[in-house]
Amino acid sequence: MKIAIMGYGTIGSGVAKVLTENHKLVKKNVGEELDIKYILDLRDFPEDPHRDKIVNDIDAIINDPEVRIVVETMGGLHPAFEFVKRCLEAGKSVTTSNKALVADYGVELQEIARKNHAGFMCEASVGGGIPILRVLDTCLTADLIEEISGIVNGTTNYMLTEMEKNGTDFETVLKDAQNKGYAEKDPTADIEGFDAARKIAILTSIVSHHNVDFNEIPVEGITGISVRDIGYAKKMNMAIKLIANATRENGSYSLRVAPYMIKNDNPLYSVNGAFNAIFVKGNMLGDSMYYGSGAGSIPTASAVCADIIALAKKIDEPEYEFYWDSNNLKLADPGKTKCRFFVRADTTKTTKNEAENMFPDAEFRESIYDNEISFITGKYQDEEILNRLNRLKGVIQKIRIKE
Ligand code: HSE
């Protein structure tokens, strides 16, 4: 079995490493030798043990009938989409770790795969090394999934954990995350929550079997979260986490990505650093949680390689796991879900009385900074809470509380 890797960066080189180090095990699990024949990249890697496999032209892969499986680890949308499409049209099975590609073009690529009798898999696109797609697609199929709540972005979880542990401010932590290779040079997709939105869209597509357009998901990132907010959370035995949530409502799902305060009895509370965890509630199983390395070269490569093995075993009769149709799922309105909020307000601009008048059900908390009041509201729908907060002067912060 000959394979090719497109993109020899962090994950692509991890795939080569896993296949080399676990060569014997992979051979046993596939039932035959599995060799990397080509690695597509524009760069040269003169010191690399696989340097003789580097090609710069996709045609080398497309035109070689010996190559049956192609790994896409280039990232980005273009030319990843065009390259994957061409591989599938040539009858080659593909696995990708690229969540942007899966969220934007997953349904189209699945159709092309079917038409060409090729396989298409994407386990590593959500949760890195955590096999969450398989869990939802094959293990929990007797359950109606009532909720998925995930910490699915390692970069932001690392940043929030560092802010909590060391009291370091957002900008310094971001620079540190960039230096350590967690955050990209342009960190927008991570810190603004778009990466998490793509991932929850993929997970919800799998459980609903319909396409979820991530552009329809209300997204709030962590750029507005300060060390002070985290200090308040700590004092209340809570943590602030960027949560990607899908909750079953009215026969559909309501989706949201936002920073939430979560209590210390929530299983997601202890998920720290660059780790990911996905909490899943099934109507039969009840609560379950899947935890592990959500990013990084080798953990992500582990999931990609499991896909390679699955594709290799069914190379002549591909199975269509991770499949959803092209009908867009009509999402339930998340703004209708009632939620409690943690609020901070500036007492030079408002008084406790004014806050109490606006939120008669508010539970006030001990203030840890001068000239501030803080409280937890009752449960409100989005429109109602925004309306009240707009009328209250001096609001510094509002953060959702996860029940
Ligand atoms: N930027 C992503 C994260 C990489 O931090 O989780 C893995 O998808």
Side-chain angles (χ1 to χ4, degrees):
M1 182 71 62
K2 306 283 184 208
I3 73 157
I5 299 173
M6 300 195 295
Y8 203 46
T10 311
I11 302 168
S13 59
V15 171
K17 199 161 180 212
V18 171
L19 293 178
T20 308
E21 277 193 24
N22 283 358
H23 183 83
K24 277 193 190 142
L25 178 81
V26 171
K27 179 181 172 186
K28 189 166 165 245
N29 285 340
V30 173
E32 63 177 296
E33 284 286 348
L34 193 140
D35 293 324
I36 303 166
K37 186 160 184 186
Y38 303 108
I39 295 171
L40 178 71
D41 207 290
L42 292 177
R43 298 163 292 179
D44 286 327
F45 298 85
E47 307 300 322
D48 194 274
H50 298 283
R51 59 189 170 274
D52 55 325
K53 297 167 186 167
I54 302 282
V55 291
N56 309 128
D57 186 351
I58 176 81
D59 285 338
I61 296 170
I62 303 285
N63 295 331
D64 187 336
E66 251 194 352
V67 175
R68 306 291 309 274
I69 298 170
V70 181
V71 174
E72 188 279 301
T73 44
M74 304 166 67
L77 287 178
H78 304 286
F81 170 69
E82 290 74 15
F83 285 8
V84 168
K85 186 170 178 241
R86 286 188 64 197
C87 290
L88 294 171
E89 285 169 346
K92 301 177 194 304
S93 292
V94 173
T95 168
T96 178
S97 60
N98 183 341
K99 62 258 161 166
L101 183 73
V102 179
D104 276 56
Y105 292 109
V107 75
E108 196 174 331
L109 292 171
Q110 287 163 2
E111 290 302 330
I112 297 170
R114 270 180 190 254
K115 271 191 203 138
N116 292 281
H117 205 63
F120 179 75
M121 298 187 91
C122 51
E123 178 61 71
S125 63
V126 183
I130 308 170
I132 186 64
L133 268 59
R134 274 196 184 75
V135 163
L136 294 175
D137 190 72
T138 60
C139 308
L140 297 183
T141 44
D143 272 58
L144 187 61
I145 302 302
E146 292 176 338
E147 183 187 341
I148 304 173
S149 275
I151 295 177
V152 286
N153 184 267
T155 305
T156 46
N157 205 47
Y158 170 79
M159 290 175 64
L160 291 170
T161 305
E162 288 297 300
M163 286 167 80
E164 197 249 303
K165 244 182 18 199
N166 306 322
T168 325
D169 66 79
F170 183 89
E171 291 305 329
T172 311
V173 166
L174 177 58
K175 280 203 189 90
D176 168 48
Q178 284 170 320
N179 289 339
K180 290 204 165 105
Y182 292 135
E184 315 259 341
K185 257 193 216 137
D186 177 358
T188 315
D190 290 327
I191 62 177
E192 297 291 0
F194 304 130
D195 175 81
R198 289 190 166 99
K199 289 169 176 168
I200 194 70
I202 295 170
L203 297 179
T204 313
S205 297
I206 288 195
V207 297
S208 69
H209 306 295
H210 297 304
N211 193 48
V212 173
D213 181 354
F214 70 89
N215 294 301
E216 290 178 19
I217 304 173
V219 179
E220 210 184 302
I222 63 159
T223 49
I225 300 297
S226 68
V227 170
R228 285 194 173 196
D229 300 323
I230 293 173
Y232 278 104
K234 233 173 154 175
K235 190 115 187 144
M236 296 185 288
N237 294 321
M238 293 203 254
I240 300 179
K241 302 284 183 193
L242 184 71
I243 308 264
N245 175 268
T247 302
R248 178 120 189 126
E249 258 161 47
N250 303 324
S252 179
Y253 287 91
S254 87
L255 274 72
R256 181 186 297 282
V257 173
Y260 280 83
M261 278 194 181
I262 57 173
K263 296 191 191 114
N264 60 2
D265 59 358
N266 186 308
L268 293 172
Y269 174 89
S270 318
V271 179
N272 288 320
F275 280 95
N276 279 194
I278 300 108
F279 167 88
V280 180
K281 185 181 182 132
N283 70 337
M284 296 293 135
L285 169 71
D287 298 351
S288 61
M289 195 164 92
Y290 309 88
Y291 171 86
S293 296
S297 173
I298 300 297
T300 310
S302 151
V304 174
C305 292
D307 276 359
I308 297 173
I309 293 169
L311 290 167
K313 284 163 86 171
K314 299 273 173 187
I315 200 71
D316 293 318
E317 286 169 49
E319 279 182 0
Y320 293 95
E321 291 182 56
F322 314 161
Y323 180 77
W324 56 93
D325 68 30
S326 57
N327 297 321
N328 269 7
L329 181 70
K330 192 169 164 18
L331 298 177
D333 179 0
K336 298 273 184 255
T337 307
K338 288 189 174 178
C339 179
R340 278 180 223 282
F341 286 77
F342 167 75
V343 179
R344 284 168 56 205
D346 180 345
T347 48
T348 64
K349 296 182 182 151
T350 194
T351 63
K352 189 174 175 191
N353 263 353
E354 282 170 334
E356 265 170 340
N357 286 342
M358 200 60 78
F359 294 98
D361 47 10
E363 293 167 19
F364 283 82
R365 300 289 156 166
E366 188 191 332
S367 226
I368 47 179
Y369 294 102
D370 289 343
N371 301 327
E372 279 192 18
I373 47 168
S374 68
F375 58 92
I376 291 178
T377 70
K379 288 187 171 184
Y380 292 95
Q381 290 184 343
D382 276 12
E383 202 181 318
E384 181 65 20
I385 187 97
L386 289 179
N387 192 314
R388 285 172 195 253
L389 288 173
N390 283 340
R391 284 187 288 145
L392 184 69
K393 291 191 196 91
V395 172
I396 305 167
Q397 181 61 291
K398 60 165 200 318
I399 300 174
R400 291 168 192 279
I401 295 183
K402 183 108 184 66
E403 296 298 328

